[in-house]
Amino acid sequence: MSISQAIENIETRYTHQPEFVQAVKEVAMTIAPLYDAHPEYSTSKIFERLVEPDRIIGFRINWEDDKGEIQVNRGWRVQFSNALGPYKGGIRFHPTVTPSVLKFLGFEQIFKNALTGLPLGGGKGGSDFDPKGKTDNEIRRFCYAFMRELHPYVDKDVDVPAGDIGVGSREISYMFAMYKNLTHEYGGVLTGKGVGFGGSLMRTEATGYGAVYFLENMLDAQDDNIKGKKVLISGAGNVALHAAEKATMLGAIVVTVSDSQGVLYDKEGFNQEKIDWIKAQKSEDKPLADYVSVHGGEWFDKQKPWQFQADIAIPAATQNEVNEDDAKLMVDNGVKYVVEGANMPLTADAIDCIREHRVHYAPGKAANAGGVAVSGLEMSQNSVRQYQTSEQIDTRLKEIMKNIHDSAADASEQYGQTDDGYIDYMAGANMVGFKRVADALVAYGILN
Ligand code: NDP
Ligand code: 2IT
């Protein structure tokens, strides 16, 4: 069966899972040159095997709210592929979580994790639980109940979850506590733990910082640099605010952040004091719009950041947040680099639009891999029970992001996808990640 037939099958079988189909098509359409060079992938049916997860575990979560009323949510863990290591990937708590969303995230995670060069398989989990407006006690009861259901299926050598949208250090601590309580095991079953109890320094910062390190490598490849560049960032969560922080440290001017309520524009740029204010405000679940009365700038209700002039865009909120019209706005506003902090933030049409205009484009699999990379380093530190300094982890993170950049750029060149200096990072990253997993599967034979 050819790849195009395999895509048709996926589209027919999973019409009700549009995000998953979108993620599969993106990979399928870029790996043809690699497939042509490796006929063993066709005979081993690697693509057909990789688009079906090893398994999906689904469960019900009963928990009690502050009024004593019983609430019921749905939860899943998609164990996609453990070809290269234990299943690894975040847990998302958001009302938009569905099997389709978790399957797209888990599928992308396989190749992202392969790109890091660390021994990590791919998976993803989550729940349609909405943390907004919940008290700390309710969050705790929900996290305990979620881990009560999940714990038989995860283990430090089997499946190692971490955070994602709606899951940060507070939620990881509660889930870790429940796992420890049920299993009596003090280990590395989750990453993103508190630094005082097994967490790695720099894990919190790693995704956003890593995305900016990737950007620096892209700029370098074009003989350019980040100093004085205007940057648009969407989102005001873990990834967005740490990307803003690192870009600012390196001399860029970040003029927007946003959330589900709208966009904040500050033409002076967000300095560290302003970023710290935003972090505190968001961690207390308070409105981003309050910024204007404290620091100035402008708030645009229910709008996105792409209407402003800038050199660089870092979408770091959620999937499909940038549609074709948004992409056109970016192009018209002078954006020359798009770096995906979020997973699949651009629709397929948006990707086509910016690539047609030769905007340099780093897909999430490559650009946001810094988070899971430091998760991998957390696992190693847990295994040897020795911890590294922030400087050591930061140096490793920079190396890993440079390796991902260079290997994607080399593959783009090797397979004829680089056009007059325009590097196809999407094709390059997909081929490098896919090849590492495919070679392992071929070596294993029919199992896996
Ligand atoms: P957070 O929960 O910390 O922040 C999410 C941010 O995105 C919030 O500002 C939120 O707004 C906004 N947002 C979420 N959903 C929507 C939506 N439907 N419409 C508009 N805005 C939305 O999550 P993270 O920063 O951890 O994750 C952001 C992205 O980065 C996700 O795609 C995630 O998968 C990806 N990612 C995360 C990694 C990590 O280590 N955390 C690693 C790699 C990728 P509001 O506050 O109003 O809800
Ligand atoms: O999308 C992602 O890479 C994450 N949410 C982080 C996964 C991890 O295991 O650290």
Side-chain angles (χ1 to χ4, degrees), residues 48-67:
E48 293 87 325
R49 286 158 62 181
L50 273 176
V51 293
E52 289 297 337
D54 288 355
R55 65 195 65 77
I56 302 176
I57 298 143
F59 43 91
R60 186 188 65 248
I61 303 128
N62 303 340
W63 59 283
E64 210 175 333
D65 69 16
D66 283 351
K67 294 189 215 96

Side-chain angles (χ1 to χ4, degrees), residues 317-335:
T318 195
Q319 66 272 4
N320 291 330
E321 57 170 305
V322 179
N323 61 29
E324 191 179 3
D325 289 339
D326 298 324
K328 282 184 188 149
L329 271 177
M330 286 181 183
V331 171
D332 291 346
N333 284 319
V335 168

